[in-house]
Amino acid sequence: MEKNDAKPKWYEPSREVTEQANVKEYDQLYRYSIENREAFWAEQANQLSWYKKWDKVLDDQQAPFYNWFVGGRTNIILNAIDRHLKSATRNKLAVIWEGEPGDSRTFSYHALNREVSQFANILKSMGVRKGDVVTIYMPQIPEQLFAMLACAKIGAVHSVVYGGFSHEALADRINDANSRVVITADGGYRRGKVVEMKSVVNKAMELSPTMEICITVKRTGIDVYMENDRDYWLHDLKSLPIASNKCETEEMDASDMLFLLYTSGSTGRPKALVHTHGGYSVYTATTHRMVFDIKPEDRYWCAADPGWITGHSYIVYGPLINGSTIMLYEGAPNHPYPDRWWKMVEKYGINILYTSPTAIRGLMRFGDSWPNRNDISSLRLLGSVGEPINAEAWSWFHRAVGRGNCPIMDTWWQTETGGFIIAPLPITPLKPGSATKPFFGNELAIVDDAGKEVPDGEEGNLVIKSPWPGLAKSVFNDPQRFVDTYWSKYKEQGWYHTGDSAKKDEDGYYWIIGRNDDVIKVSGYRLGSAEIEGIMATHPAIVEAAAIALPHQLKGNAIHITAVLKSTYKPTKELEHELMVHMEEHLGKIARPEAIVFAEALPKTRSGKIMRRLLKSRALGLPDGDLSTMEE
Ligand code: WTA
């Protein structure tokens, strides 16, 4: 990864961009939002519809379990669909979808409502009730969106599991959530091949005692095993009278659960963050509207996977609340050729493209000729998320894709934060590699381990000092873990500990360096070293293993494993390969290690903790640092 030390070069936004920007001024509004936090958020919330408005904007009595819009009655669907049906937005395109083979479908808001209502009625007929957790494991097809929205509509809680995870990872998440219904597809398309999904779900269901019902979308037509009274095809259910086009949206409390999303932390098993109907609606809609400068006529494309938080907040909820036309694409960016994305930008006239540094680097290596052979001049704004963007990727994105006049919104945030915490506005002068300044309402600081602010330009821990409406409500079924993970390090101060290292420069711009815990970001996807190590240890050859992240040109970071073998096993190339396949099979392809080295023992502290930091500094040829806690 590139260091952000080079003298930054400013990029001033063009007059064209600033003149039409939704928000024309930052400093004053920022100050206002800090001094009048509740008033600021009430003004934003007032732009949405409510069944009943809140009695109190923020209740911090149970901090860090903050309650926003207390007493407010809503449902995210009231804003994402229902209110649009009463305006001209009803006939506007909500979704433009293209499958990897080239098939395409579009849905107006009217059609979206029909699909979601039918799906919601089907779920109800299967006994799904308010508060039940429904697991969604799907390719990127419109039904994935419909399934999420249908759950929300009836007050059920969706738990989307990334479609690249193995059956075991899926079963873990189903079991943790006590979910009895799963929605999937027979498969999806990726790089010209069918990726099986229903067969993975079948294996997961065998490990999940709570699983009763599986609804499957026919996407590819491959043969799949369907069990009587457990497995149903969506198209069969849709032809039944129960699947009517009309379904009342369930009135919810602002603080009722909307979804769970599993994410990796530094220790233990993945945990489910809980997001709610009220605060999350307000936060995703406001951040999306302001940062991406959303206009009614825009065609907006967030090329993330709906299985991660970026997809939840900025493919689905924020954009639909803002009545945007969203683009959704099923497959690989370079299939069949490296200009697949640019072809779609031209074909559908996309104005805003939001993606990750890994995807940008992946397309950059094919060169300028691929974007150049398409007319992508409809693009007005670009966005980046998931990992720090290196200067080279930034410049290429800016020049080759943005033709030098599309500002890049580098947005820093987390599954836990629900939406952008640090992000520019289109009017913000940019420095490549910096996510710039805090979004409205957020007070940040870079501090040392004791909580003392470090001087400008020095590295420290990034903390958030004040609550915001997008903040997760808790960890599902484990509130103590929520407190321990995020609020114990700076308990006295009551600050949220992000787990990221960062610097602030003399202009108040933030530069994210990366995780300072054992979370690993591979291609922007979030994995935990503990989960990876646990799976390594299930292989019969392994005594124990340590997983660390090392820089990788394309992926940002890659997984490197140090493994201790049982004495009966020899450290061979074959075994290394077998262990890599083991990781793929048990967690997923994204978890395939870059390299595995074998060692006699792992460096540990006297209390038995693996010293991953030492493994990392040795691999990078850096000094060992403090070894006083190391065991003999
Ligand atoms: C990293 C993804 C640098 C960061 C939305 C954070 C970033 C973690 C950026 C959260 C960015 C996210 N620049 N790093 N613009 N955005 N990160 O939960 O380390 O999958 O803590 O949420 O991604 O990952 P998560």
Side-chain angles (χ1 to χ4, degrees), residues 70-194:
V70 186
R73 304 284 292 168
T74 186
N75 182 312
I76 203 160
I77 298 300
L78 172 66
N79 285 295
I81 302 179
D82 298 354
R83 68 167 176 164
H84 300 316
L85 304 177
K86 299 187 193 122
S87 74
T89 311
R90 174 181 185 271
N91 296 322
K92 178 178 169 177
L93 283 187
V95 182
I96 301 172
W97 172 82
E98 192 168 295
E100 199 190 68
D103 47 339
S104 138
R105 295 159 76 192
T106 55
F107 300 86
S108 65
Y109 274 89
H110 173 78
L112 179 66
N113 179 54
R114 181 186 67 225
E115 296 292 334
V116 171
S117 296
Q118 286 182 343
F119 216 134
N121 282 322
I122 288 169
L123 291 176
K124 274 192 184 169
S125 75
M126 297 281 175
V128 177
R129 297 283 170 266
K130 188 171 167 176
D132 289 352
V133 180
V134 173
T135 303
I136 299 176
Y137 182 80
M138 290 181 94
Q140 295 187 43
I141 55 177
E143 284 78 4
Q144 184 178 36
L145 236 74
F146 305 157
M148 292 165 75
L149 297 166
C151 289
K153 189 172 175 71
I154 61 173
V157 178
H158 58 72
S159 165
V160 181
V161 177
Y162 168 60
F165 274 136
S166 70
H167 74 276
E168 285 160 71
L170 174 60
D172 276 351
R173 287 153 176 82
I174 288 172
N175 294 339
D176 183 80
N178 260 319
S179 176
R180 33 178 292 275
V181 179
V182 58
I183 304 169
T184 188
D186 53 357
Y189 293 97
R190 186 90 194 168
R191 297 219 161 74
K193 291 201 194 94
V194 170

Side-chain angles (χ1 to χ4, degrees), residues 109-394:
Y109 274 89
H110 173 78
L112 179 66
N113 179 54
R114 181 186 67 225
E115 296 292 334
V116 171
S117 296
Q118 286 182 343
F119 216 134
N121 282 322
I122 288 169
L123 291 176
K124 274 192 184 169
S125 75
M126 297 281 175
V128 177
R129 297 283 170 266
K130 188 171 167 176
D132 289 352
V133 180
V134 173
T135 303
I136 299 176
Y137 182 80
M138 290 181 94
Q140 295 187 43
I141 55 177
E143 284 78 4
Q144 184 178 36
L145 236 74
F146 305 157
M148 292 165 75
L149 297 166
C151 289
K153 189 172 175 71
I154 61 173
V157 178
H158 58 72
S159 165
V160 181
V161 177
Y162 168 60
F165 274 136
S166 70
H167 74 276
E168 285 160 71
L170 174 60
D172 276 351
R173 287 153 176 82
I174 288 172
N175 294 339
D176 183 80
N178 260 319
S179 176
R180 33 178 292 275
V181 179
V182 58
I183 304 169
T184 188
D186 53 357
Y189 293 97
R190 186 90 194 168
R191 297 219 161 74
K193 291 201 194 94
V194 170
V195 179
E196 290 183 26
M197 300 199 91
K198 171 63 174 144
S199 63
V200 178
V201 171
N202 283 346
K203 284 198 258 171
M205 283 197 287
E206 281 168 29
L207 304 175
S208 303
T210 53
M211 244 326 127
E212 288 169 20
I213 289 163
C214 174
I215 299 173
T216 306
V217 178
K218 196 176 220 123
R219 164 70 184 129
T220 62
I222 53 167
D223 257 351
V224 292
Y225 171 73
M226 300 283 280
E227 194 169 292
N228 260 346
D229 296 333
R230 185 193 75 179
D231 295 343
Y232 302 87
W233 288 108
L234 180 69
H235 58 265
D236 288 341
L237 297 171
K238 276 178 85 167
S239 68
L240 301 175
I242 47 145
S244 104
N245 292 335
K246 292 215 163 27
C247 177
E248 279 293 314
T249 302
E250 183 84 26
E251 197 180 302
M252 307 292 283
D253 210 85
S255 65
D256 278 336
M257 285 197 284
L258 167 61
F259 66 82
L260 305 183
L261 193 55
Y262 282 86
T263 191
S264 304
S266 30
T267 54
R269 303 155 67 86
K271 54 185 177 294
L273 273 309
V274 177
H275 284 285
T276 59
H277 280 265
Y280 180 82
S281 293
V282 174
Y283 202 71
T284 54
T286 308
T287 47
H288 179 254
R289 188 181 76 246
M290 291 186 171
V291 173
F292 283 124
D293 205 32
I294 296 302
K295 310 283 189 247
E297 63 277 15
D298 278 340
R299 291 191 162 185
Y300 163 88
W301 184 9
C302 167
D305 188 300
W308 304 87
I309 191 67
T310 306
H312 283 60
S313 300
Y314 298 109
I315 294 178
V316 184
Y317 289 115
L320 292 179
I321 295 174
N322 289 328
S324 301
T325 297
I326 63 174
M327 169 81 205
L328 199 66
Y329 166 58
E330 179 186 32
N334 56 350
H335 185 83
Y337 298 108
D339 66 345
R340 179 63 187 267
W341 273 18
W342 318 129
K343 276 205 153 47
M344 288 188 287
V345 168
E346 172 171 346
K347 180 171 174 191
Y348 300 109
I350 303 297
N351 307 106
I352 301 162
L353 175 64
Y354 183 34
T355 183
S356 67
T358 290
I360 296 164
R361 288 189 292 262
L363 291 166
M364 177 172 81
R365 77 196 147 128
F366 298 111
D368 290 23
S369 70
W370 293 99
N372 284 349
R373 71 183 65 177
N374 298 277
D375 178 4
I376 53 171
S377 59
S378 57
L379 288 173
R380 183 180 88 239
L381 273 179
L382 302 172
S384 172
V385 63
E387 11 154 14
I389 182 165
N390 51 311
E392 203 192 345
W394 196 99

Side-chain angles (χ1 to χ4, degrees), residues 446-452 454 460-461 489-490 493 497 516 613:
I446 314 271
V447 299
D448 63 16
D449 285 337
K452 201 169 144 284
V454 304
N461 303 323
K489 188 165 171 89
Y490 300 108
Q493 299 90 335
H497 172 54
N516 56 26
R613 231 169 250 278

Side-chain angles (χ1 to χ4, degrees), residues 263 309-310 384-388 410-416 500 512 515 521 526:
T263 191
I309 191 67
T310 306
S384 172
V385 63
E387 11 154 14
D410 181 356
T411 60
W412 179 89
W413 58 295
Q414 306 178 305
T415 307
E416 293 82 349
D500 274 24
I512 305 296
R515 299 292 308 189
K521 286 240 120 186
R526 183 165 162 181

